[in-house]
Amino acid sequence: MSEQITARVIILGSGPAGLSAAIYAARAGLNPIVLQGMQPGGQLTITTDVENYPGFRDVVQGPWLMEQMQAQAEHVGARMMWDTIVDVELSAPPFCLTGDSGVTYLCDALIIATGAQARWLGVDGEAALSGKGVSACATCDGFFYRGRPVCVIGGGNTAVEEALYLTNHSPDVTLIHRRDTLRAEKMLQDRLFAHPRIHVLWNKAVARFVGEGPGGALSGLDLIDTIRGQSSRHPTQGAFVAIGHKPATDLFVGKMPLDEDRYLQVRPGTSLTAIPGVFAAGDVADKVYRQAVTAAGMGCMAALDAERFLQASYG
């Protein structure tokens, strides 16, 4: 017989949303279990400088911030477990989760905080220069490039919004797109084309991110003309890859309503999904803001919603 673990509340994911939910659920006496999954701590564990999370005058490191959140959650009574869920049964409480360890988990309320991952180009130099000039979040990192030339790679709404945002910090923003037309909404395109600090490189694909010496920072991009095949180098000190995000929802396909981009659907202004007792928080349900602080806020909402559900259902 495989091991079976029962809890009133189980939280899938241990980023800012999951750990904030754990703090609130533990303080409410719900004794939550946090299943940490493949990337304990979420995306902040691969983020270096964090300057926009409230409460810290100086820049803090992403991994350290997540260590502190986990320590706080454990201090108030949340239980951390290291397992990756491979199957879920959500037809009715108790919900059943199966881990790749063979352990099954039963819970009366489930908070899904599995997050999302930025889509990357997968070209040379991208991973090595991540945090050294290459980023996937202008709102997170644009402040560090004040007064420097930067690039945004992409052609959809996210890319145009990132380029417009970066004009708050940079006098020279270049949008690089592999086609000759943008996919972004017309209103956003009109704002982009009218902005004096932004210019567009059409029909260009990034072949390589170039750094200055071993371990150095980004200094430029090697580009390929998608029509003529010609190579060129574009100097820049910051490159923001804006080709979309992939929410971690594969586990829920066919089992919960997803939107056209495969994000979990929640009732506006809440963490409630279509399944009573199942709640969603953070980037797995948020395609607009995608910030640590908004994820933490949604985690708080999910825990409060779960507490109310349990009180109404079980007393």
Side-chain angles (χ1 to χ4, degrees):
M1 294 286 292
S2 63
E3 183 182 1
Q4 187 175 90
I5 295 174
T6 301
R8 295 197 75 190
V9 176
I10 286 180
I11 300 165
L12 287 183
S14 55
L19 292 178
S20 295
I23 291 166
Y24 273 81
R27 293 185 75 251
L30 300 179
N31 301 313
I33 289 176
V34 179
L35 295 174
Q36 297 205 300
M38 294 288 290
Q39 189 178 10
Q43 294 186 72
L44 279 185
T45 60
I46 56 172
T47 302
T48 52
D49 294 344
V50 177
E51 198 172 38
N52 56 2
Y53 197 86
F56 302 97
R57 185 193 66 178
D58 299 320
V59 174
V60 298
Q61 298 299 298
W64 177 86
L65 181 59
M66 297 318 302
E67 288 173 2
Q68 297 304 301
M69 285 191 193
Q70 178 175 327
Q72 183 179 1
E74 290 177 311
H75 177 72
V76 294
R79 180 182 176 190
M80 304 292 152
M81 301 194 72
W82 287 263
D83 206 346
T84 301
I85 299 303
V86 295
D87 193 24
V88 294
E89 173 51 58
L90 305 177
S91 57
F95 305 115
C96 182
L97 318 177
T98 303
D100 65 0
S101 64
V103 177
T104 58
Y105 304 86
L106 299 177
C107 61
D108 296 319
L110 173 65
I111 296 174
I112 301 170
T114 47
Q117 295 289 335
R119 298 183 188 274
W120 297 95
L121 297 172
V123 301
D124 287 349
E126 185 176 49
L129 292 168
S130 178
K132 301 177 181 179
V134 177
S135 172
C137 181
T139 308
C140 308
D141 299 328
F143 185 76
F144 298 115
Y145 298 90
R146 298 184 302 278
R148 304 180 190 178
V150 297
C151 294
V152 177
I153 302 154
N157 284 351
T158 299
V160 173
E161 289 169 349
E162 300 257 283
L164 289 166
Y165 173 81
L166 285 165
T167 61
N168 295 319
H169 305 295
S170 172
D172 181 7
V173 179
T174 302
L175 183 72
I176 299 172
H177 187 40
R178 61 184 300 116
R179 299 182 178 84
D180 59 2
T181 57
L182 300 176
R183 303 185 309 278
E185 298 171 1
K186 185 178 185 303
M187 180 182 68
L188 288 173
Q189 293 192 43
D190 291 343
R191 290 176 59 198
L192 180 96
F193 296 140
H195 205 293
R197 295 185 183 181
I198 302 175
H199 68 281
V200 182
L201 291 181
W202 301 106
N203 300 312
K204 298 291 189 292
V206 177
R208 186 165 71 101
F209 293 86
V210 181
E212 293 181 344
L218 180 75
S219 61
L221 307 175
D222 282 347
L223 304 177
I224 298 291
D225 190 296
T226 58
I227 302 297
R228 301 178 180 86
Q230 297 171 338
S231 300
S232 61
R233 177 164 293 182
H234 182 80
T236 190
Q237 296 181 31
F240 295 83
V241 180
I243 57 174
H245 286 73
K246 183 181 185 299
T249 55
D250 290 349
L251 186 62
F252 308 106
V253 173
K255 299 185 178 183
M256 295 184 66
L258 309 177
D259 70 10
E260 65 276 9
D261 297 315
R262 296 182 66 164
Y263 286 80
L264 290 179
Q265 293 182 319
V266 296
R267 187 184 304 171
T270 76
S271 68
L272 279 65
T273 71
I275 301 175
V278 178
F279 310 89
D283 289 7
V284 73
D286 172 23
K287 65 169 69 175
V288 177
Y289 301 105
R290 294 193 298 262
Q291 299 299 302
V293 68
T294 52
M298 292 180 72
C300 163
M301 292 164 57
L304 295 176
D305 286 339
E307 180 185 4
R308 293 179 183 127
F309 167 78
L310 291 169
Q311 182 63 34
S313 301
Y314 303 97

